[in-house]
Amino acid sequence: MSLGLPINVQKQVDPRQNSFVPRVFTVTGKTRETADTVTIKAHSGDGGVQLEARPGQFNMLYVHGIGEIPVSLSAVGSDGSLLHTVRRVGPVSKALGNLRIGESFGVRGPYGTHWPLESLHGRSVIVLAGGLGLAPLRPAIHHLLKFRDAFGEVGIYCGARSPADRIFASEFSRWQREKPHATGAKSIQVRVTVDRVPDQAKAAWHGEIGVVTSLLPRSISDPVNAAAMICGPEVMMRHAVQDLLQLGIAKEHIYLSLERNMKCAVGLCGHCQLSRYFVCRDGPVFSFDAVEHLLTVKEL
Ligand SMILES: Cc1cc2nc3c(=O)[nH]c(=O)nc-3n(C[C@H](O)[C@H](O)[C@H](O)COP(=O)(O)OP(=O)(O)OC[C@H]3O[C@@H](n4cnc5c(N)ncnc54)[C@H](O)[C@@H]3O)c2cc1C
Ligand code: FES
């Protein structure tokens, strides 16, 4: 099966159908992931209208009087709830993280391209996540587990700065335990590593230490039929792509999610421009062959 997916992967959202007016969502749950990162669960305040979102897409989240930022969907609940995992780095993300249950914020979206999961059916898949990069990959992992028999071998490799910086840590063992539904279906491997372990946490850490790319296998059985999805800091993605190419995975079968500053999110303002692309409209998920020439330029 050929992926045949060029630059834009698969655009599902016509920006013209998306209003600039945010819809009101109410916080219905909060999970503290790390000291600076929280997952916010929210329900729509306008009669339960559900957003049609695909794994890898993002929403613009608006906190009244503060501002609006892009945040990936880290899951969509079966009850129509939206989950966003936010790291507090500045005014808007801090305000989002400080929202209490029952408080409201604005959501417009979903926007952008998504992980091309249906096109990967029949292939082995490597998922490589660095830090908060696991957030936009989590809905894709949920898809891989739900439709386990549609894929070949699945390897999920996650890296974090330290054990305390892992997000969704409680889900890792569930992902690992997930059994293929059909007899003869391929295995799933979940491995986690951290850059360093503080002295006080050493006794409790039995996992691996090292960069996330060190988790990749030395070889894979059928690289022509393999694909990869990567999200994390750009320096990590640059190294990861080189290792995946060495494994024999084709450029056009390696997908990555890019971040740029955004304002409109619908391809009008140019804030997110990266050469000839608008990351909000043509990304954030790109195939590597489409952005290779840009990723090799430092600080672009
Ligand atoms: C498509 C897309 C998806 C995104 N998904 C998520 C997500 O799921 N969760 C999430 O928390 N963020 C996500 N972001 C990043 C988020 O939009 C930015 O972090 C945002 O700028 C934060 O706004 P702020 O007002 O809180 O801080 P700002 O005032 O924008 O930034 C404050 C300080 O933090 C630094 N900073 C900004 N962004 C980052 C970052 N990503 N990492 C480290 N330092 C940073 C800035 O350089 C500045 O020094 C995404 C961005 C894009 C484009
Ligand atoms: S954010 Fe305006 S063009 Fe992308």
Side-chain angles (χ1 to χ4, degrees), residues 37 85-87 129-137 159 165 167-168 231-233 259:
T37 304
T85 302
V86 181
R87 175 172 292 155
L132 198 56
L134 185 55
L137 281 166
D165 289 310
I167 59 170
F168 316 134
C231 189
E259 280 191 13

Side-chain angles (χ1 to χ4, degrees), residues 20 58 60 70 108 260-273 277-282:
F20 278 108
F58 67 93
M60 295 300 286
R108 60 185 181 96
R260 285 296 178 276
N261 283 336
M262 291 182 183
K263 290 290 177 206
C264 73
V266 293
L268 294 176
C269 73
H271 262 81
C272 65
Q273 189 158 8
Y277 303 125
F278 286 167
V279 174
C280 67
R281 183 194 63 191
D282 304 317

Side-chain angles (χ1 to χ4, degrees), residues 78-267:
S78 51
D79 57 356
S81 58
L82 303 183
L83 281 85
H84 296 93
T85 302
V86 181
R87 175 172 292 155
R88 298 178 169 102
V89 295
V92 185
S93 53
K94 281 181 185 158
L96 278 167
N98 289 340
L99 288 174
R100 287 176 294 205
I101 290 178
E103 291 187 318
S104 298
F105 62 103
V107 177
R108 60 185 181 96
Y111 295 121
T113 54
H114 58 82
W115 305 109
L117 288 157
E118 284 82 9
S119 310
L120 302 186
H121 283 183
R123 293 182 181 277
S124 291
V125 181
I126 288 176
V127 178
L128 207 60
L132 198 56
L134 185 55
L137 281 166
R138 184 165 72 151
I141 292 171
H142 290 165
H143 179 102
L144 291 170
L145 297 179
K146 186 171 176 188
F147 301 100
R148 183 65 203 89
D149 301 337
F151 299 92
E153 286 175 14
V154 172
I156 301 171
Y157 308 112
C158 307
R161 278 175 297 188
S162 74
D165 289 310
R166 290 170 302 154
I167 59 170
F168 316 134
S170 61
E171 291 192 34
F172 293 155
S173 52
R174 185 168 62 74
W175 296 346
Q176 178 73 74
R177 282 198 310 273
E178 194 76 23
K179 292 272 186 300
H181 308 134
T183 319
K186 301 280 177 45
S187 64
I188 182 163
Q189 190 180 44
V190 182
R191 293 179 67 193
V192 182
T193 186
V194 295
D195 295 342
R196 60 184 173 278
V197 184
D199 288 343
Q200 66 274 20
K202 279 196 170 128
W205 179 250
H206 305 293
E208 319 214 21
I209 301 175
V211 292
V212 67
T213 45
S214 66
L215 298 177
L216 284 170
R218 294 229 170 106
S219 63
I220 51 176
S221 52
D222 187 10
V224 175
N225 258 320
M229 298 184 282
I230 322 172
C231 189
E234 267 182 38
V235 61
M236 165 255 172
M237 293 201 285
R238 280 196 200 107
H239 286 289
V241 166
Q242 293 314 316
D243 291 354
L244 293 164
L245 293 172
Q246 291 251 319
L247 284 174
I249 303 179
K251 289 176 185 177
E252 62 270 28
H253 296 163
I254 297 173
Y255 298 91
L256 31 86
S257 184
L258 297 182
E259 280 191 13
R260 285 296 178 276
N261 283 336
M262 291 182 183
K263 290 290 177 206
C264 73
V266 293

